[in-house]
Amino acid sequence: MRSLSIVCLMLGLLCRSTAQPVYTGNPGRWPVGTFEATWHDARRNRDVPVKIYFPSGPDAPARSPVILFSHGLGGSREGYGYLGEHWASWGYVSVHVQHHGSDDDALRTGGRPLRNFKKAASDPDAATNRRLDISFAIDRLTELNSDPAFSLHGRLDLQKIGAAGHSYGAFTTMAIAGARIPVFGPEPKYRDSRVKAAVAMSTPTTSGNDTDAAFDGVKIPVFHLTGTKDELPGWRRKGGTEAIVGDTKAAERLRPYQHTRHAPAYLLVFAGGDHMVFSGRLTATRATDQEFQARVLSSSTAFWDAWLKDDAGAKAWLENGGFSAVLGKFGTFEHKTP
């Protein structure tokens, strides 16, 4: 053991460069700052609220990759804070976008939330505006990054942009990644080439997305996360079989991974994980929620490090058994490369 230490001391940087990192779900090295803003898209006459998480402190990174996060149906920029906090602590600027028309305001209108859920989920304009909100946010960040008055002036590495989302936000993310979604027409015209990697949690099913062709436009690495009980969202009328909102079965959430042929793809399936694992619950948490979310944090951070920071050690940890060891009994993990 002593001789190994001496060899490492002599070789120095070589020993450090071959060591793989260990991602445990613990916060990274940087304290996290936040602020909120509402940006106006004059072209659509539409306000886009955002909440931004960023690494702070005297030794904060000079430039950080940027992640655009899209919430689920009925969510807001305030949701999924555990992700924004964690990613920012690891050196990312996480921009959580709120989508009017499918956010929490839309569901409170008229006092009939279940009816509003169904209406918002089937509104093609809401779906289109979600995708456009993300691209507009990238446009706005590009402008602000050059503005000396912006608090993060010059600190955004806009050559390294990721997109992420849960449920309806995963639908949005997959459109940005290049998936062909019928509501948007026959071509994957909503792909944004500025996005270099994506994380999609609980991607909903749509008609026609059970073929390879539906995902042939996906040319960037995507990390898919779901669970064996991940239905959308599992609510059914008392005594009935019809889902109140959507009807995605857990097995159907595997489709985007299964049909991706032209880009690296990763798949994490939590054993017993349901739809609310990723967003948090309105009611009491379940015993495994904390374990699942810790592994969401560790695996997604390694994925971002691998594909937005070009970290070979993170990629090796993710692909060569490091994460599988951390995952343990809580699920299964696999990956493929075209």
Side-chain angles (χ1 to χ4, degrees):
M1 193 70 180
R2 183 182 176 190
S3 61
L4 178 59
S5 298
I6 293 173
V7 170
C8 281
L9 182 62
M10 293 174 63
L11 294 179
L13 292 174
L14 178 59
C15 286
R16 286 196 295 272
S17 67
T18 57
Q20 287 186 17
V22 176
Y23 296 85
T24 63
N26 292 327
R29 60 178 289 190
W30 289 287
V32 176
T34 65
F35 64 89
E36 296 182 351
T38 298
W39 299 330
H40 184 72
D41 184 354
R43 182 176 299 179
R44 294 180 294 154
N45 191 27
R46 177 179 172 87
D47 286 339
V48 180
V50 297
K51 183 171 184 177
I52 298 178
Y53 301 79
F54 61 94
S56 64
D59 67 338
R63 299 180 74 218
S64 296
V66 176
I67 300 165
L68 281 298
F69 188 86
S70 175
H71 62 74
L73 184 65
S76 74
R77 63 184 173 182
E78 301 295 339
Y80 306 88
Y82 79 102
L83 293 169
E85 290 272 355
H86 187 82
W87 292 338
S89 77
W90 280 79
Y92 294 89
V93 172
S94 188
V95 181
H96 291 223
V97 178
Q98 183 167 332
H99 305 285
H100 288 313
S102 57
D103 59 357
D104 55 353
D105 284 342
L107 303 186
R108 287 194 291 264
T109 304
R112 299 185 64 180
L114 293 181
R115 181 193 66 181
N116 294 343
F117 254 98
K118 199 162 190 174
K119 181 179 179 181
S122 60
D123 182 356
D125 288 337
T128 299
N129 275 316
R130 278 178 153 264
R131 158 61 184 82
L132 295 174
D133 287 345
I134 299 299
S135 285
F136 166 71
I138 298 175
D139 293 342
R140 187 70 181 125
L141 289 166
T142 302
E143 295 171 356
L144 290 170
N145 202 38
S146 301
D147 183 353
F150 181 49
S151 58
L152 297 178
H153 167 238
R155 291 182 54 187
L156 307 180
D157 187 347
L158 296 171
Q159 299 304 308
K160 298 179 178 179
I161 297 177
H166 172 235
S167 194
Y168 206 173
F171 168 95
T172 307
T173 299
M174 291 308 299
I176 291 165
R180 184 173 299 165
I181 297 175
V183 71
F184 296 144
E187 300 297 329
K189 61 181 179 180
Y190 284 89
R191 183 174 68 87
D192 193 316
S193 61
R194 294 172 294 183
V195 173
K196 307 304 182 185
V199 170
M201 303 175 234
S202 301
T203 305
T205 189
T206 62
S207 61
N209 78 343
D210 54 351
T211 68
D212 289 346
F215 297 95
D216 278 352
V218 177
K219 304 293 177 64
I220 62 173
V222 181
F223 183 16
H224 301 280
L225 299 89
T226 184
T228 59
K229 295 184 179 179
D230 189 358
E231 307 243 328
L232 178 60
W235 299 331
R236 298 181 186 278
R237 289 186 175 86
K238 188 175 181 180
T241 58
E242 180 186 357
I244 293 174
V245 182
D247 199 18
T248 300
K249 304 299 184 184
E252 293 172 334
R253 302 215 189 264
L254 309 180
R255 287 176 176 174
Y257 174 81
Q258 292 169 339
H259 293 294
T260 295
R261 298 188 296 175
H262 304 301
Y266 301 77
L267 176 65
L268 168 58
V269 182
F270 286 119
D274 64 9
H275 197 69
M276 304 309 291
V277 162
F278 305 102
S279 60
R281 303 180 191 281
L282 298 177
T283 57
T285 59
R286 297 182 181 177
T288 52
D289 284 357
Q290 187 174 356
E291 298 284 2
F292 289 158
Q293 287 193 359
R295 287 158 176 80
V296 171
L297 296 176
S298 61
S299 58
S300 63
T301 302
F303 174 82
W304 294 131
D305 281 2
W307 292 103
L308 294 185
K309 293 184 178 179
D310 302 316
D311 187 327
K315 187 171 184 286
W317 181 84
L318 195 61
E319 296 183 354
N320 297 339
F323 174 59
S324 294
V326 169
L327 179 60
K329 66 179 181 180
F330 292 100
T332 60
F333 176 75
E334 59 187 289
H335 66 93
K336 61 183 182 180
T337 302

